[in-house]
Amino acid sequence: MASFPMPHLLPCTSLPHTNTAAHLLLPSSLFRRRRTLHSLRCSASDKPQDDAVELPLFPLPLVLFPGAILPLQIFEFRYRIMMHTLLHTDLRFGVVYHDAVSGTSEVGCVGEVVKHERLVDDRFFLVCKGQERFRVNDVVRSKPYLVGRVTWLEDRPSENDGGDDAEALAREVEGYMKDVIRLSNRLGGKGEKEMGDLRRNLFPTPFSFFVGSTFEGAPREQQALLELEDTAKRLKREKETLKNTLNYLTAASAVKDAFPSS
């Protein structure tokens, strides 16, 4: 099995984080430990699939969703080399979730560089936007940076749920999101503000990715959501997570009301 060293991340302060999505801090006790995936293997001798393409890979301790914004600071030599290559091609690379327990995930999301700043010491500040998802079939090479052979993933039509059900689920999920945000603000002393349109006319599939991107602090749950290839199943899982979070916050609010601080 191959193991790949993690890049070091520094706070990206030069470029603003342009994602306007609310981030939901979810209690870690709500989630089960995600099933460990097999490590990616170097297998350049395998016969490539007809629809597979080569993609530079960036293992990170976070999950990127289609449509989400990701600011990065690049300072390690091997990833500076990758950036120099990308600046002369199509500015796209694959973000794959990695942690010490699960290793490197096989499903990731393309990050497209939409803004970059090169500094005098050859570091880069980037703003990337999530595009299509992919599955890594094998690793083409690991030096100077990781390159995989990938195939693209799309949500398949649900066998049991029609489009109307996905639309209904999306409306339910939006309602739970508003309740969670409202109660979180109340517990944080920010006051209960009227929630606007969280969907922003998004269809169920992109909305399900938007919801997953707000589950801050739960990267393994986010990875599980990213890997699902059924919009209705993803929305159902998000609905249950939001319901559990709302129950948790409701209980916390009741305790706060019963024992107000002096």
Side-chain angles (χ1 to χ4, degrees):
M1 289 187 180
S3 61
F4 308 104
M6 279 287 296
H8 300 291
L9 296 181
L10 291 179
C12 186
T13 55
S14 294
L15 292 172
H17 193 304
T18 54
N19 189 3
T20 58
H23 290 282
L24 306 180
L25 292 173
L26 306 179
S28 59
S29 59
L30 295 177
F31 303 106
R32 300 175 180 174
R33 174 164 292 188
R34 182 172 160 269
R35 179 176 59 87
T36 301
L37 298 179
H38 295 296
S39 297
L40 301 177
R41 298 185 300 274
C42 289
S43 52
S45 60
D46 290 350
K47 183 179 179 181
Q49 298 182 22
D50 293 338
D51 56 348
V53 297
E54 291 187 7
L55 186 70
L57 301 177
F58 201 168
L60 290 172
L62 53 82
V63 178
L64 178 64
F65 283 87
I69 299 298
L70 175 64
L72 289 174
Q73 180 179 169
I74 307 295
F75 69 96
E76 285 190 60
F77 179 69
R78 55 190 167 139
Y79 292 109
R80 297 205 310 264
I81 293 176
M82 184 179 76
M83 277 307 305
H84 283 289
T85 302
L86 294 178
L87 289 174
H88 290 89
T89 53
D90 62 355
L91 295 176
R92 289 158 56 90
F93 60 95
V95 175
V96 284
Y97 174 63
H98 177 100
D99 67 19
V101 176
S102 301
T104 306
S105 298
E106 297 178 357
V107 172
C109 179
V110 170
E112 182 175 13
V113 178
V114 295
K115 186 175 182 180
H116 71 276
E117 178 184 351
R118 182 179 174 185
L119 305 182
V120 292
D121 60 359
D122 207 32
R123 286 181 299 139
F124 288 89
F125 288 114
L126 311 177
V127 173
C128 309
K129 184 174 183 180
Q131 301 295 340
E132 58 266 59
R133 293 173 299 156
F134 60 85
R135 182 181 301 278
V136 181
N137 300 317
D138 52 69
V139 172
V140 178
R141 64 176 184 271
S142 58
K143 294 181 179 181
Y145 52 85
L146 198 59
V147 176
R149 187 175 292 113
V150 308
T151 49
W152 307 119
L153 293 181
E154 293 184 0
D155 276 9
R156 299 188 295 263
S158 176
E159 296 179 359
N160 300 318
D161 299 297
D164 292 339
D165 290 326
E167 177 62 36
L169 280 167
R171 289 194 296 268
E172 287 187 83
V173 167
E174 182 183 20
Y176 279 114
M177 279 191 74
K178 289 181 177 180
D179 290 340
V180 168
I181 294 171
R182 187 180 299 109
L183 195 50
S184 296
N185 288 339
R186 180 175 179 271
L187 286 169
K190 299 179 181 179
E192 296 188 26
K193 298 180 181 179
E194 184 65 28
M195 294 292 105
D197 179 16
L198 297 179
R199 283 192 65 178
R200 299 168 296 172
N201 297 319
L202 292 175
F203 288 109
T205 298
F207 178 64
S208 71
F209 291 138
F210 163 75
V211 175
S213 72
T214 68
F215 287 3
E216 191 173 90
R220 292 181 191 171
E221 175 65 12
Q222 289 183 310
Q223 181 65 29
L225 291 169
L226 185 73
E227 293 179 6
L228 287 174
E229 297 179 54
D230 185 309
T231 299
K233 288 182 179 179
R234 188 181 302 110
L235 287 167
K236 284 180 180 178
R237 184 161 179 158
E238 291 166 343
K239 174 185 170 181
E240 290 305 309
T241 296
L242 290 167
K243 284 176 64 177
N244 292 336
T245 303
L246 187 60
N247 291 337
Y248 177 91
L249 293 174
T250 300
S253 180
V255 171
K256 182 178 180 180
D257 291 341
F259 301 98
S261 58
S262 56

